[in-house]
């Protein structure tokens, strides 16, 4: 199993490097404006009053853009970092098995003394590690850049928010991985997992202005994310069990589907 994991990581080494660079660049771009944002907070506060509530809800989970925690949540953790890690996770989930099948190398792998369970587990663990590596790079970048621009948010709070963001992204990727394990459904896995992610983001963001979305939003992981509450130490950690449950259920279904289907069709 370790050999398979190492091989998968080696094959995707350049992807990891470029994703790490890209995520760091986006974080730097967002945090670089904090000093100017802070200096003009009074003027901006007046301007933000004219923005519709629905638009505000899509940008932040608290509506607070001016405190250090509020700024970091709205500019990085609420949308930008989940979106980037989510894209990475969904693309990985759809390609870990899907790419091997498309290239015709999956049959070759299974012709060796490797069980389907070990192959599937190796692919899944490699995917978790890749998302984790990029997530760690993002956490380090946020911490260093926050110090540079004097955005005073404690390191433990940043680390916890990044960890929950990682779980959120993995839950998206696990759905794509589950769908791709059924067969030649790479495009479908990307589409359905993206719908799962975006549907949750929209419903969770707009439930404060559209009360009928309150219950539908609970079916999606994004409703349980709440980065500002994490950094303000108000997060209900029981919410994190939704991510864990999603990942475990998707993993079990993936295993049941992959071990029984004919990979030659």
């Amino acid at each position: 199993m370790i050999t398979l994991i190492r091989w998968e990581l080696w094959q995707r080494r350049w992807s990891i490097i470029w994703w790490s660079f890209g995520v760091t660049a986006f974080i730097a771009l967002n945090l670089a404006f904090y000093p100017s944002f802070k200096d003009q907070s009074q003027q901006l506060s007046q301007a933000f009053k004219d923005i519709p509530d629905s638009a505000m809800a899509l940008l932040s989970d608290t509506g607070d853009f001016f405190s250090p925690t509020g700024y970091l949540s709205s500019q990085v953790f609420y949308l930008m970092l989940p979106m980037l890690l989510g894209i990475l996770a969904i693309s990985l989930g759809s390609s870990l098995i899907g790419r091997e099948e498309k290239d015709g190398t999956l049959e070759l792998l299974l012709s060796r003394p490797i069980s389907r369970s070990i192959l599937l587990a190796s692919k899944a663990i490699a995917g978790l590690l890749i998302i984790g590596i990029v997530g760690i790079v993002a956490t380090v970048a946020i911490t260093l850049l926050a110090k540079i621009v004097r955005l005073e948010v404690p390191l433990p709070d940043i680390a916890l928010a990044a960890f929950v963001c990682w779980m959120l992204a993995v839950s998206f990727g696990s759905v794509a991985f589950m769908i791709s394990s059924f067969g030649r459904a790479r495009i479908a896995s990307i589409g359905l997992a993206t719908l799962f992610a975006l549907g949750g983001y929209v419903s969770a963001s707009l439930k404060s202005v559209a009360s009928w979305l309150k219950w539908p939003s609970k079916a999606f992981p994004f409703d349980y994310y709440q980065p500002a509450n994490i950094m303000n130490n108000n997060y209900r950690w029981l919410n994190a069990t939704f991510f864990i449950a999603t990942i475990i259920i998707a993993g079990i279904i993936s295993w049941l589907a992959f071990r029984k289907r004919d990979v030659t069709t």
Side-chain angles (χ1 to χ4, degrees), residues 24-205:
T24 300
F26 270 100
I27 292 170
L29 184 64
N30 278 272
L31 296 188
F33 292 100
Y34 177 70
S36 299
F37 198 89
K38 183 179 180 181
D39 293 339
Q40 301 177 42
S41 59
Q42 291 184 348
Q43 299 95 312
L44 290 171
S45 179
Q46 186 64 35
F48 275 31
K49 291 181 180 179
D50 298 328
I51 299 177
D53 291 341
S54 57
M56 292 282 284
L58 290 170
L59 299 174
S60 171
D61 52 340
T62 64
D64 176 15
F65 294 89
F66 304 104
S67 69
T69 298
Y71 183 87
L72 190 58
S73 177
S74 62
Q75 297 301 309
V76 176
F77 281 113
Y78 189 68
L79 178 58
M80 190 270 290
L81 190 59
M83 179 184 67
L84 293 177
L85 290 184
I87 293 171
L88 172 61
I90 291 171
S91 64
L92 279 172
S94 65
S95 65
L96 286 168
I97 294 295
R99 189 176 69 175
E100 297 278 5
E101 195 164 17
K102 180 181 178 182
D103 295 342
T105 57
L106 186 58
E107 297 175 39
L108 182 62
L109 273 175
L110 292 175
S111 67
R112 299 181 179 184
I114 301 171
S115 71
R116 294 192 180 197
S117 297
I118 290 177
L119 177 61
L120 197 71
S122 300
K123 293 287 188 179
I125 292 171
L128 291 175
L129 289 175
I130 291 170
I131 303 168
I133 291 169
V134 177
I136 289 171
V137 171
T139 305
V140 172
I142 293 168
T143 303
L144 293 177
L145 290 165
K147 292 291 185 182
I148 293 172
V149 301
R150 297 183 180 181
L151 202 162
E152 299 177 356
V153 177
L155 172 59
D157 295 342
I158 293 175
L160 286 174
F163 176 67
V164 178
C165 186
W166 174 81
M167 287 197 292
L168 175 70
V170 171
S171 68
F172 299 153
S174 66
V175 172
F177 188 71
M178 176 187 69
I179 297 169
S180 68
S181 68
F182 280 90
R184 299 180 183 276
R186 186 177 178 185
I187 295 177
S189 66
I190 294 174
L192 292 174
T194 301
L195 180 63
F196 185 63
L198 288 179
Y201 160 67
V202 172
S203 60
S205 298

